Amino acid sequence: MSYLLTLLVVGLFVWLFLSSNKGSFTTSRPTLSFKDVLYSEYGYIIALIAKLAKSDGHVSDLEVELIENILDDMCEEFHDHNQARIHLKKIFKEEKDVQDNVNHVASELYKKTSHEAYKHQKIIEFMVTLAFRDGVLHHREKEVIHETAHAFHIDAGAVDSFFNQYSDFY
């Protein structure tokens, strides 16, 4: 009887060892897919940032610096930071050259965050900061921000107020 009990206990430990990935006892997380990041709040935000940064024809070194900082913060929100960075950079690279879908991207972001109006305002404030980062507010940058604000249901007067505040500062 004790032989049978010992065999059962040893069998249980072997089963636990084998089912824990050869004794590592770590739980595996699913791979972070490009689609997961693309259709996330951060995917939409980085797409809008890419469109804004390239809307004046080029992305300046100062804009790149600010975008890198925001990427660092965004990646921290994903379980696989490195994979998230790769995907977010790919989104940026692809979206910066597509300027005709600002309203669509902003509308999708609005749907994802419709109950968080404070986020919409913060995104617009960040976009204004980014637009002024190189010291010049290009008319196309202003259009992208207004189009985004419209999709967010933010009054154009409020956006112009942000522009005035930043133009006084810069």
Short mmCIF file of all heavy atoms in Angstrom, two decimals, residues 53 56 58-69 130 133-135:
data_model
loop_
_atom_site.label_atom_id
_atom_site.label_comp_id
_atom_site.label_asym_id
_atom_site.label_seq_id
_atom_site.Cartn_x
_atom_site.Cartn_y
_atom_site.Cartn_z
N ALA A 53 3.01 64.47 -37.15
CA ALA A 53 4.44 64.73 -37.25
C ALA A 53 4.88 64.89 -38.70
O ALA A 53 5.74 65.72 -39.01
CB ALA A 53 5.23 63.60 -36.58
N ASP A 56 3.65 68.26 -42.01
CA ASP A 56 4.35 69.43 -42.55
C ASP A 56 5.45 69.03 -43.54
O ASP A 56 6.24 69.86 -43.97
CB ASP A 56 4.92 70.31 -41.43
CG ASP A 56 5.98 69.61 -40.59
OD1 ASP A 56 6.24 68.41 -40.81
OD2 ASP A 56 6.54 70.27 -39.70
N HIS A 58 7.97 66.71 -43.07
CA HIS A 58 9.09 65.97 -42.48
C HIS A 58 8.92 65.88 -40.97
O HIS A 58 8.17 66.65 -40.37
CB HIS A 58 10.43 66.65 -42.81
CG HIS A 58 10.60 67.97 -42.10
ND1 HIS A 58 9.95 69.12 -42.50
CD2 HIS A 58 11.35 68.32 -41.03
CE1 HIS A 58 10.28 70.12 -41.68
NE2 HIS A 58 11.13 69.66 -40.79
N VAL A 59 9.63 64.94 -40.37
CA VAL A 59 9.61 64.76 -38.92
C VAL A 59 10.95 65.28 -38.40
O VAL A 59 12.01 64.73 -38.74
CB VAL A 59 9.41 63.28 -38.53
CG1 VAL A 59 9.35 63.13 -37.02
CG2 VAL A 59 8.14 62.71 -39.18
N SER A 60 10.90 66.33 -37.60
CA SER A 60 12.14 66.94 -37.11
C SER A 60 12.75 66.10 -35.98
O SER A 60 12.08 65.26 -35.37
CB SER A 60 11.88 68.36 -36.60
OG SER A 60 11.21 68.32 -35.35
N ASP A 61 14.03 66.36 -35.70
CA ASP A 61 14.72 65.65 -34.61
C ASP A 61 14.05 65.92 -33.27
O ASP A 61 13.96 65.03 -32.42
CB ASP A 61 16.19 66.08 -34.55
CG ASP A 61 16.99 65.57 -35.74
OD1 ASP A 61 16.53 64.61 -36.40
OD2 ASP A 61 18.07 66.13 -36.01
N LEU A 62 13.57 67.15 -33.06
CA LEU A 62 12.89 67.48 -31.81
C LEU A 62 11.57 66.72 -31.68
O LEU A 62 11.20 66.28 -30.59
CB LEU A 62 12.65 68.99 -31.72
CG LEU A 62 13.90 69.85 -31.58
CD1 LEU A 62 13.56 71.33 -31.71
CD2 LEU A 62 14.59 69.57 -30.24
N GLU A 63 10.88 66.55 -32.80
CA GLU A 63 9.64 65.76 -32.77
C GLU A 63 9.94 64.30 -32.49
O GLU A 63 9.24 63.65 -31.71
CB GLU A 63 8.90 65.91 -34.11
CG GLU A 63 8.28 67.28 -34.31
CD GLU A 63 7.76 67.51 -35.72
OE1 GLU A 63 8.33 66.97 -36.69
OE2 GLU A 63 6.77 68.26 -35.83
N VAL A 64 11.00 63.78 -33.10
CA VAL A 64 11.40 62.39 -32.87
C VAL A 64 11.69 62.16 -31.39
O VAL A 64 11.26 61.15 -30.81
CB VAL A 64 12.63 62.01 -33.73
CG1 VAL A 64 13.22 60.67 -33.31
CG2 VAL A 64 12.26 61.99 -35.20
N GLU A 65 12.38 63.10 -30.77
CA GLU A 65 12.70 62.98 -29.34
C GLU A 65 11.43 62.88 -28.50
O GLU A 65 11.33 62.02 -27.61
CB GLU A 65 13.53 64.19 -28.91
CG GLU A 65 13.93 64.19 -27.46
CD GLU A 65 14.66 65.47 -27.07
OE1 GLU A 65 15.31 66.09 -27.93
OE2 GLU A 65 14.57 65.85 -25.89
N LEU A 66 10.47 63.74 -28.76
CA LEU A 66 9.22 63.73 -28.01
C LEU A 66 8.43 62.45 -28.28
O LEU A 66 7.86 61.84 -27.36
CB LEU A 66 8.38 64.96 -28.37
CG LEU A 66 7.13 65.22 -27.55
CD1 LEU A 66 7.45 65.36 -26.07
CD2 LEU A 66 6.44 66.50 -28.04
N ILE A 67 8.43 61.99 -29.51
CA ILE A 67 7.71 60.76 -29.88
C ILE A 67 8.37 59.56 -29.21
O ILE A 67 7.68 58.65 -28.73
CB ILE A 67 7.64 60.62 -31.41
CG1 ILE A 67 6.74 61.72 -31.99
CG2 ILE A 67 7.14 59.24 -31.81
CD1 ILE A 67 6.86 61.92 -33.49
N GLU A 68 9.69 59.52 -29.16
CA GLU A 68 10.39 58.42 -28.49
C GLU A 68 10.00 58.35 -27.02
O GLU A 68 9.81 57.25 -26.47
CB GLU A 68 11.92 58.57 -28.62
CG GLU A 68 12.46 58.26 -30.00
CD GLU A 68 12.40 56.79 -30.36
OE1 GLU A 68 12.41 55.92 -29.46
OE2 GLU A 68 12.32 56.50 -31.56
N ASN A 69 9.88 59.50 -26.38
CA ASN A 69 9.48 59.53 -24.97
C ASN A 69 8.07 58.98 -24.78
O ASN A 69 7.81 58.22 -23.84
CB ASN A 69 9.58 60.95 -24.41
CG ASN A 69 11.01 61.40 -24.24
OD1 ASN A 69 11.92 60.59 -24.08
ND2 ASN A 69 11.23 62.70 -24.29
N LEU A 130 3.35 68.86 -29.81
CA LEU A 130 4.17 68.26 -30.87
C LEU A 130 4.24 69.16 -32.10
O LEU A 130 5.30 69.32 -32.69
CB LEU A 130 3.60 66.89 -31.26
CG LEU A 130 4.37 66.10 -32.32
CD1 LEU A 130 5.78 65.76 -31.82
CD2 LEU A 130 3.62 64.82 -32.68
N ARG A 133 6.67 71.81 -31.52
CA ARG A 133 7.98 71.31 -31.08
C ARG A 133 9.13 71.84 -31.94
O ARG A 133 10.21 72.14 -31.42
CB ARG A 133 7.97 69.78 -31.09
CG ARG A 133 9.20 69.13 -30.55
CD ARG A 133 9.33 69.35 -29.08
NE ARG A 133 10.47 68.59 -28.62
CZ ARG A 133 10.84 68.53 -27.37
NH1 ARG A 133 10.15 69.15 -26.47
NH2 ARG A 133 11.89 67.85 -27.03
N ASP A 134 8.92 71.94 -33.24
CA ASP A 134 10.00 72.41 -34.11
C ASP A 134 9.99 73.93 -34.26
O ASP A 134 10.74 74.49 -35.06
CB ASP A 134 9.95 71.73 -35.48
CG ASP A 134 8.63 71.95 -36.21
OD1 ASP A 134 7.76 72.69 -35.70
OD2 ASP A 134 8.45 71.37 -37.29
N GLY A 135 9.14 74.61 -33.49
CA GLY A 135 9.12 76.07 -33.48
C GLY A 135 8.23 76.72 -34.51
O GLY A 135 8.06 77.93 -34.52
#
